[in-house]
Amino acid sequence: MLRLLTKTTVLGMALSVLSAGCTPIERGPLIGEAGEVYEITVVSTSESERSDGSGSANSRYGFVETIIARERGGTVIEYDLPFGTSEQEREREWQFPARVLQGVDGSLSLLNADDLNARLETWLQAAEIDRSLCGTWFFTWNAFKVECDVETVLDTVAAVNVRHPTIGEGVMYKDPAAAVAGPLTATDTPETLRVVGSLNADGYRQDEAEGKRALAQILGVQPPTLEDAIAAQADDEITGSITTTFTLGEDGQVSSRVRRIEIAVTYPDGTFERRTTTETLTRRRVTAARREAD
């Protein structure tokens, strides 16, 4: 999937990085049977307030998750674009379908790298993009990064993989944007578990620095070094929290995950920026009739 910038502020770019790839919950033997198909949908809403105004943004995307086989080393799973994706859309999203092996320890490894490399080469040729531009940010119909490393698809998969067979009260969980791990606690019902963590300010500074570098490339100006971009934020006061809520289905597996990220930044000149982002992931079993209708 092309990495898209849908927000123009650097804070927005940093939040898009913070939303990727949650640290897996402790796992036991993986579950699921070959042939099972699930629809995964992610909806994100964001509201911001700044010294000079306010704004909001919304996004929605999804994947189809199919269990291919069970093996001694784990489970083979295929992730593909949503039902109804057009051929034209598929040409732009060369990373999918991606087939991975999820080990019993939760690790992910890419199984069809050759297929992805072939689709990447076709995409580069069609877009008339030389490989020397890999890693560069551009703006055409939107902002995108020329990503040429097929292994990065695992980051996208990890961000939507909620196959946590040992999830339960007391299990330690750490969001990638949090400073430390915390225990999952039951809320109103045993089927709902929640953990609240404080924002990792240093990690946020690095994410925002990478966003500034990307923005400079889009604008066609010399980007700062990563070190300089981080150092420029040394006097910014950054606080925040991340609340993650899991809801379990009848089979004991995660049917939804809601992440609420609140970030506040006060700059040395007294100006400020506040942003609240809510990301809701739902995962539901697909019936045979639904698959045949596609």
Side-chain angles (χ1 to χ4, degrees), residues 53 85 94 134 147 172 221 237 265 290:
T85 300
W94 57 263
C134 291
E147 184 60 77
M172 299 299 290
V221 299
E237 295 182 10
V265 182
R290 174 68 177 87

Side-chain angles (χ1 to χ4, degrees), residues 4 23 39 85 108 129 145 169 242 248 272:
L4 304 180
T23 301
E39 276 187 315
T85 300
L108 296 171
I129 296 177
K145 180 182 180 181
E169 188 171 8
I242 305 95
L248 308 184
F272 68 89

Side-chain angles (χ1 to χ4, degrees), residues 20-277:
C22 296
T23 301
I25 294 174
E26 296 174 0
R27 300 170 182 269
L30 297 178
I31 66 171
E33 299 298 330
E36 292 181 0
V37 180
Y38 297 85
E39 276 187 315
I40 297 173
T41 303
V42 182
V43 177
S44 178
T45 61
S46 180
E47 296 183 354
S48 63
E49 179 185 4
R50 302 179 297 277
S51 298
D52 58 353
S54 61
S56 62
N58 300 279
S59 65
R60 180 187 180 95
Y61 63 94
F63 297 97
V64 175
E65 176 189 83
T66 303
I67 299 177
I68 303 299
R70 296 291 303 278
E71 300 181 354
R72 291 188 62 184
T75 306
V76 178
I77 311 169
E78 183 174 88
Y79 288 86
D80 202 357
L81 300 174
F83 294 120
T85 300
S86 68
E87 288 302 317
Q88 185 178 15
E89 290 172 319
R90 284 190 174 278
E91 290 174 359
R92 295 196 298 265
E93 305 289 354
W94 57 263
Q95 289 96 331
F96 296 94
R99 189 164 291 197
V100 303
L101 174 66
Q102 183 171 11
V104 294
D105 61 350
S107 61
L108 296 171
S109 55
L110 184 61
L111 299 179
N112 63 334
D114 289 344
D115 294 339
L116 270 67
N117 272 311
R119 296 198 297 264
L120 168 61
E121 189 62 34
T122 299
W123 179 81
L124 289 171
Q125 292 179 6
E128 298 183 348
I129 296 177
D130 189 82
R131 278 188 175 269
S132 62
L133 297 175
C134 291
T136 304
W137 286 90
F138 288 94
F139 185 88
T140 53
W141 63 93
N142 51 29
F144 69 96
K145 180 182 180 181
V146 179
E147 184 60 77
C148 300
D149 180 1
V150 299
E151 293 290 331
T152 58
V153 72
L154 294 177
D155 296 332
T156 303
V157 169
V160 299
N161 185 308
V162 289
R163 291 164 46 81
H164 305 311
T166 60
I167 188 171
E169 188 171 8
V171 173
M172 299 299 290
Y173 179 84
K174 182 181 180 299
D175 189 279
V180 297
L184 289 166
T185 58
T187 57
D188 299 334
T189 66
E191 294 78 23
T192 305
L193 302 168
R194 179 172 297 153
V195 61
V196 180
S198 58
L199 180 73
N200 182 341
D202 289 337
Y204 172 82
R205 286 188 174 92
Q206 177 158 341
D207 290 335
E208 188 182 12
E210 293 172 351
K212 287 182 177 179
R213 286 170 49 80
L215 183 59
Q217 288 184 347
I218 291 170
L219 297 176
V221 299
Q222 180 66 33
T225 65
L226 183 62
E227 293 76 14
D228 287 346
I230 293 175
Q233 307 169 68
D235 294 329
D236 296 349
E237 295 182 10
I238 302 169
T239 59
S241 64
I242 305 95
T243 303
T244 306
T245 304
F246 294 96
T247 301
L248 308 184
E250 294 181 355
D251 59 356
Q253 288 299 289
V254 175
S255 59
S256 73
R257 181 191 69 200
V258 179
R259 299 175 69 233
R260 182 179 174 88
I261 304 173
E262 298 181 64
I263 296 178
V265 182
T266 303
Y267 301 102
D269 63 0
T271 59
F272 68 89
E273 187 160 7
R274 312 281 188 267
R275 184 180 293 272
T276 299
T277 298

